[in-house]
Amino acid sequence: MNNLIQLKSLAILMLIALFTFSCGSDNDAITISDDEEEDSLYDGELSVFEQGGDNRNVTINASGLSSTALVKIAFETTTNTMRRLYVTQNVSNFGEDPYEFSTGGVTVDDKKDGSLDLSSDNGNGFEFAIPFPIPASADSKIVYTIWATTGKGDFRDISKRNAISDTAVGTITINGSGTNDGSGLKTYETTILAAPLSSQTSQTFMSVFDGLKYRIDEGEETAALWDFGYYYGATNNASLASVANYPPLFDTTGDGNADSAIAGVSGVAQEELNNFYITTSTLDFDTITERSDLDNISIPTSERVTNLSVGNVLEFVDSYGNKGLIKVTGLVPGDGSSGQITISIKVQSSITTLF
């Protein structure tokens, strides 16, 4: 296998260049030696190969490490070409989050969805070294999950365009001296979603996976990550709807009439868009403190809620089976630039299913 890794992001090269590997002057490639003396520098070695003979699960004891564990990572395919690398981080079982590489003030976030862009030279095989942060306390652990795709993937679905197989992932578990299971619940406070604008510049949509908000005009790259969005209807007023069931509010023909929903304005196929099942709830938002507190929520039959007002509590189930609550805490009526809704969210942490 070729020992060179070329990423299209200069930032990842800066990241890896912190370590003493030789750099090619012509192509900014990073050379990693295969000799035993250099291999001893690694705290772990992870490999995910299509043909087998690999080591997909690595466990590292953080004892004796200062702040990071240096892991040698290798991927190899013969059938498909790898285009992107996805990495998630799960700290003490609180749930998966997209992992952002950062060092020396440089954050590697090469594609808009948070994945790393692999160059064509490394589409069938690569090796490189990454320093992964270790647990901040002795009684915790961090699990990193890594997989490669042939195109746009999904942080919540490792099988989507997986370059090797539906279950081909690597995991790096870095243990402290104990365990801390956490609540299994994520909370997003005071999230403001804007009413959609014809310019498509409003932050109208969000993902309950990481709490990020998205502009409509970012849809080509990110619409498949969105869960739901806000709009203010002429008769139904303040409303939330799943991305897959969002109303056709956008004029894409220029005739002054709304004729397109999210698939039309983003270019993302309808089947790629997330369903988000939502309805009103009688649960007390403020008393929910554990993942299990939400287990009894049944999948709603609707993907929209309308005529919302401050104080409303909604329950939902996302496309990945995670359950949660939304509480409306603020509202500015209207469909113009000042229109917005403020919400708080509690949702079960996503857990990657490996097999």
Side-chain angles (χ1 to χ4, degrees):
M1 180 173 59
N2 192 337
N3 287 331
L4 300 181
I5 172 69
Q6 272 190 311
L7 298 181
K8 293 179 181 177
S9 165
L10 177 62
I12 191 64
L13 295 179
M14 294 174 65
L15 172 70
I16 302 173
L18 289 175
F19 305 96
T20 53
F21 304 126
S22 60
C23 299
S25 58
D26 295 333
N27 56 12
D28 289 330
I30 304 301
T31 303
I32 298 177
S33 171
D34 281 332
D35 62 53
E36 293 182 4
E37 181 178 355
E38 189 156 311
D39 284 349
S40 67
L41 296 174
Y42 304 118
D43 299 303
E45 297 187 26
L46 178 78
S47 53
V48 182
F49 300 152
E50 182 178 356
Q51 299 300 321
D54 49 16
N55 181 32
R56 299 188 180 188
N57 300 291
V58 174
T59 300
I60 298 171
N61 189 336
S63 177
L65 300 178
S66 57
S67 60
T68 61
L70 182 60
V71 182
K72 180 180 179 180
I73 295 175
F75 274 68
E76 186 176 302
T77 67
T78 57
T79 304
N80 297 312
T81 300
M82 297 178 287
R83 301 297 186 190
R84 301 190 185 198
L85 197 65
Y86 285 79
V87 184
T88 64
Q89 179 189 60
N90 187 343
V91 180
S92 297
N93 290 334
F94 274 88
E96 307 287 344
D97 282 309
Y99 177 63
E100 293 185 355
F101 297 91
S102 63
T103 184
V106 176
T107 298
V108 179
D109 193 3
D110 209 44
K111 304 297 283 188
K112 287 185 178 179
D113 70 346
S115 61
L116 296 180
D117 198 2
L118 296 169
S119 75
S120 58
D121 291 343
N122 294 272
N124 294 109
F126 58 81
E127 294 180 356
F128 57 100
I130 293 180
F132 288 95
I134 66 174
S137 62
D139 60 344
S140 61
K141 71 175 180 179
I142 303 176
V143 179
Y144 298 93
T145 305
I146 306 169
W147 67 99
T149 66
T150 58
K152 279 192 294 186
D154 189 327
F155 279 104
R156 290 175 283 190
D157 182 2
I158 63 171
S159 66
K160 186 173 183 179
R161 298 192 176 94
N162 194 305
I164 298 176
S165 74
D166 286 352
T167 60
V169 295
T171 63
I172 301 167
T173 302
I174 306 179
N175 288 316
S177 58
T179 59
N180 181 355
D181 291 334
S183 67
L185 201 67
K186 291 183 179 180
T187 301
Y188 308 119
E189 299 282 2
T190 318
T191 299
I192 299 175
L193 297 179
L197 300 176
S198 59
S199 64
Q200 300 183 27
T201 57
S202 56
Q203 287 190 316
T204 297
F205 295 90
M206 75 167 294
S207 166
V208 296
F209 176 57
D210 53 19
L212 294 180
K213 299 184 296 183
Y214 296 91
R215 288 165 47 132
I216 300 168
D217 58 7
E218 294 176 333
E220 182 177 2
E221 179 66 29
T222 66
L225 306 177
W226 308 347
D227 287 311
F228 68 93
Y230 174 64
Y231 68 96
Y232 196 87
T235 57
N236 290 321
N237 299 327
S239 306
L240 297 176
S242 77
V243 180
N245 194 245
Y246 200 79
L249 302 179
F250 308 99
D251 177 12
T252 57
T253 62
D255 63 0
N257 297 313
D259 57 15
S260 182
I262 300 307
V265 297
S266 69
V268 176
Q270 180 67 29
E271 59 269 20
E272 295 271 333
L273 302 178
N274 282 327
N275 299 101
F276 190 81
Y277 305 97
I278 186 169
T279 189
T280 56
S281 181
T282 58
L283 293 176
D284 186 343
F285 183 91
D286 296 328
T287 63
I288 301 299
T289 58
E290 299 284 339
R291 178 187 180 89
S292 59
D293 293 340
L294 300 172
D295 284 345
N296 290 330
I297 292 178
S298 300
I299 300 177
T301 58
S302 61
E303 294 189 58
R304 295 187 198 179
V305 286
T306 60
N307 288 304
L308 295 172
S309 59
V310 174
N312 285 163
V313 176
L314 314 168
E315 59 188 50
F316 65 82
V317 179
D318 69 12
S319 284
Y320 308 87
N322 301 305
K323 302 177 179 182
L325 293 180
I326 296 173
K327 184 176 182 178
V328 181
T329 60
L331 185 63
V332 179
D335 57 3
S337 59
S338 62
Q340 64 182 39
I341 191 171
T342 304
I343 56 179
S344 292
I345 301 170
K346 291 182 179 180
V347 59
Q348 293 175 329
S349 301
S350 295
I351 304 297
T352 299
T353 301
L354 301 182
F355 306 102

